[in-house]
Amino acid sequence: MKKIVVLDAFVANSGDLSWDALRELGNVEIYDRTSVAELPKRCEGAYALFTNKVVLNADLLYNLPELKFIGVLATGYNNVDVKTARELGVVVCNVPNYSTYSVAQLVFAHLLNIVNSVGKYADSVKEGDWCKCADFSYRLSNIFELHGLTMAIYGLGNIGSEVAKIADAFGMKVISYTSKTQENLPAYIEKVGKEEMFKRADVLSLNAPLSSDNANFINKETLSLMKPSSILINTARGGLVDEKALADALNSGKIFAAALDVLSSEPPQSSNPLIGARNCYITPHIAWQSDTARTDLLRISVENLRAYIGGKPQNVVF
């Protein structure tokens, strides 16, 4: 039977979901995590490898003559040397679109937490502050309405487009710095230039993939264009943000708040300047982790391998 190896299964499936569909396709070995030292031995003789974040580089791939298929348990595939895989005739497939609604939901979970201070108020009530209050209500911080604010979106793929729909439903004005033409955008999205996007944004949501062209897209210069009342949300890739520049902007009040689900290094070092920065809300890369999204991730991953075995590969990355 074909040897199929899942190299880092734990984050996608810690045991609450089933790998039975994958076991129908071969002899499956599942590892919660795989270190660099463990990688060559575990991959030896494999027909198919599945990786979430484990790096599959050229040196490794050249030493796996039986390998035919790599399945990425994610949408992003920068951890796989796709060029070398192609040269060796190894097909690489990812899982696009599985977490669109899950990620868009977290954008607004973060945003609503910032503008309504839900966690702060709930904690205050638990501590007895309402019971001791002389009035029927009290205010710990300002509460802002989203209606009428401008949501700027950088990256109008599936997730960015869904964020735009939700922003429009809240009554926000939606603008985007995008390569798409105005004619190809929904009527509620206004195409703008880069500088205008930063200047007009009340909320800026980053939803673009990371590339060499947009690394540190958020930096001292672009942050200086933003309003002191503005909010930055990043659910895309940590490398889009110069973290020190953002921390400085938050701590000095140049922008109001930031919500981040991704950082440049994951897990981060305790010295990361954003940990502890003023009005900075960080979650540990959970946007994609809804039960529905993870179920779809595993299902589509198995379908990718089944389709390849059947001679009709799908979701092949190029």
Side-chain angles (χ1 to χ4, degrees), residues 100-298:
T100 296
Y101 303 119
S102 183
V103 176
Q105 178 175 303
L106 187 71
V107 170
F108 284 89
H110 267 302
L111 180 55
L112 290 169
N113 177 60
I114 291 171
V115 299
N116 283 88
S117 300
V118 175
K120 182 188 294 185
Y121 279 99
D123 287 344
S124 172
V125 172
K126 281 185 179 181
E127 290 168 6
D129 294 342
W130 200 8
C131 298
K132 303 169 189 173
C133 186
D135 303 301
F136 77 94
S137 181
Y138 58 94
R139 186 168 57 254
L140 296 174
S141 57
N142 292 336
I143 296 174
F144 308 96
E145 289 188 358
L146 295 182
H147 188 277
L149 297 184
T150 296
M151 167 67 87
I153 300 173
Y154 175 59
L156 274 181
N158 292 304
I159 294 171
S161 296
E162 187 64 23
V163 170
K165 289 179 188 176
I166 300 170
D168 180 60
F170 269 109
M172 302 180 78
K173 301 171 185 175
V174 183
I175 63 175
S176 180
Y177 167 57
T178 175
S179 60
K180 296 179 181 179
T181 65
Q182 184 66 64
E183 292 73 23
N184 289 325
L185 296 177
Y188 55 82
I189 301 179
E190 178 187 353
K191 177 183 172 75
V192 297
K194 179 180 176 180
E195 185 171 320
E196 183 179 359
M197 178 186 72
F198 281 104
K199 287 182 175 180
R200 288 177 57 186
D202 292 305
V203 183
L204 172 56
S205 179
L206 304 182
N207 301 106
L210 177 64
S211 70
S212 57
D213 295 329
N214 65 7
N216 287 342
F217 182 74
I218 302 299
N219 53 56
K220 183 176 181 180
E221 179 183 354
T222 54
L223 287 164
S224 70
L225 299 172
M226 298 182 73
K227 303 174 184 178
S229 59
S230 62
I231 299 167
L232 174 70
I233 301 177
N234 186 13
T235 55
R237 286 291 182 266
L240 293 170
V241 176
D242 178 332
E243 292 173 340
K244 183 179 185 307
L246 177 57
D248 289 345
L250 289 166
N251 291 330
S252 64
K254 289 181 179 176
I255 70 168
F256 176 65
L260 312 165
D261 190 52
V262 288
L263 293 173
S264 60
S265 178
E266 298 173 351
Q269 297 292 318
S270 58
S271 58
N272 187 300
L274 289 170
I275 297 177
R278 170 188 168 275
N279 286 354
C280 189
Y281 304 87
I282 303 173
T283 47
H285 207 141
I286 61 168
W288 63 281
Q289 283 208 47
S290 70
D291 290 352
T292 300
R294 290 188 302 111
T295 299
D296 287 345
L297 173 65
L298 266 61

